[in-house]
Amino acid sequence: MPELPEVETFRRRIDAGALNRTVAEIRPGNDITHVELPDAAARARFEGHQFTQTRRHGKYIFVGSASGPWLNLHMGMSGSVRVYDTEDGDPDYARLVVIFEGDRRMAFRDPRKFGWVRVIDDPDAEIARLELGPDALEIDASQFADRIEGRGAVKSALIDQAKVAGIGNLWADETLYQTGIHPDTRAGDLSGKQRGDLHRTFGRILKAVCDVDAHYAELPDPWLIHRRKTGHECGRCGGTIESRKVGGRTSFYCPDHQERAT
Ligand SMILES: [Zn+2]
């Protein structure tokens, strides 16, 4: 599933290849039944316009201009964005294709069809409507400390997009592993130091994954991402990785160095 680093990689692709070009047409792609896409009238609003800026908030991408309108893209389980030239041909599973004047094109691909594209006028209003918390790469330590509270498990709080937007299952587990906090720990029981550690650690992790364009094989060897399997050896303490369901999601962790709060 595309998480924040993948989505940031797609945003950078758009920045690098699809801005400041005039839109000739936005056309539906192949096999689009059950895919939420803008209708013909909404697509026509972009004709003759240029995209001049992108924005990512959590796992959402916005592509537009100061005066709007904007495309809002959500990747679902398997979505991605491809920027290419006409001669390369449309990619497989292209559900929406932006055709720029000249040869450049941009496609929203989605093999499994859980993603969507909407046309909106104001990203800030849309972020509020979607009830997203501050973006994970922008939230500051005190905002984070105030938002991670309550009786629920810290793992559930980290992946709650209304608290912090952009931390998914993989990077929540990685953050808890690297800070030595058990996923079941009640959010409200975390110390001030632990809240600071979590904030610093998920920021560092997400930035590192963005820096390698979400190529996980390039991440440091001791990280949990390379050993998300029950029975694997922990990369930090030599313990044994276990899994358990927390808030309905499978969490991988090391019971030897991730201590449960008492
Ligand atoms: Zn360990």
Side-chain angles (χ1 to χ4, degrees), residues 177 233-241 253-258:
Y177 170 87
E233 187 176 306
C234 173
R236 294 175 73 89
C237 76
T240 305
I241 302 297
Y253 70 107
C254 170
D256 290 333
H257 83 265
Q258 291 179 251

Side-chain angles (χ1 to χ4, degrees), residues 15 17 26 28 32 46 70 75 83 99 118 124 167 176 197 204 254:
D15 263 9
I26 300 182
I32 57 166
F46 294 92
W70 294 71
M75 302 300 143
V83 176
I99 298 168
R118 295 174 184 158
D124 286 316
I167 305 177
L176 293 166
D197 286 349
R204 175 176 54 72
C254 170

Side-chain angles (χ1 to χ4, degrees), residues 154 172-185 190 193-194 197-198 201 204-205 234 236-237 253-261:
V154 59
D173 283 359
E174 188 72 54
T175 298
L176 293 166
Y177 170 87
Q178 293 195 21
T179 47
I181 296 171
H182 193 287
D184 274 347
T185 305
L190 293 166
K193 178 181 180 306
Q194 286 177 313
D197 286 349
L198 286 170
T201 302
R204 175 176 54 72
I205 289 170
C234 173
R236 294 175 73 89
C237 76
Y253 70 107
C254 170
D256 290 333
H257 83 265
Q258 291 179 251
E259 291 173 18
R260 203 184 299 249

Side-chain angles (χ1 to χ4, degrees), residues 32-168:
I32 57 166
T33 48
H34 308 299
V35 184
E36 184 186 341
L37 295 172
D39 63 19
R43 296 195 309 269
R45 293 181 63 193
F46 294 92
E47 290 173 12
H49 282 238
Q50 296 190 343
F51 298 122
T52 58
Q53 51 187 293
T54 58
R55 183 167 163 190
R56 182 195 51 72
H57 191 99
K59 302 180 198 175
Y60 297 79
I61 297 176
F62 299 91
V63 192
S65 59
S67 56
W70 294 71
L71 291 176
N72 178 14
L73 292 82
H74 191 256
M75 302 300 143
M77 300 288 287
S78 61
S80 63
V81 175
R82 194 73 63 80
V83 176
Y84 56 103
D85 288 325
T86 311
E87 64 193 33
D88 301 321
D90 293 341
D92 290 346
Y93 309 109
R95 307 302 184 201
L96 192 75
V97 179
V98 179
I99 298 168
F100 297 99
E101 288 181 358
D103 290 330
R104 188 56 51 89
R105 295 186 177 203
M106 177 176 83
F108 167 66
R109 297 179 68 247
D110 188 10
R112 296 185 60 188
K113 298 185 170 183
F114 288 98
W116 46 254
V117 181
R118 295 174 184 158
V119 174
I120 59 143
D121 288 298
D122 178 357
D124 286 316
E126 194 60 15
I127 288 163
R129 197 186 67 77
L130 292 164
E131 299 183 342
L132 299 174
D135 180 71
L137 286 177
E138 291 180 1
I139 191 169
D140 68 31
S142 67
Q143 274 181 308
F144 176 76
D146 289 346
R147 285 174 162 267
I148 297 299
E149 33 64 41
R151 297 171 57 83
V154 59
K155 166 68 187 284
S156 304
L158 285 174
I159 63 175
D160 180 348
Q161 302 298 298
K163 293 187 190 297
V164 183
I167 305 177

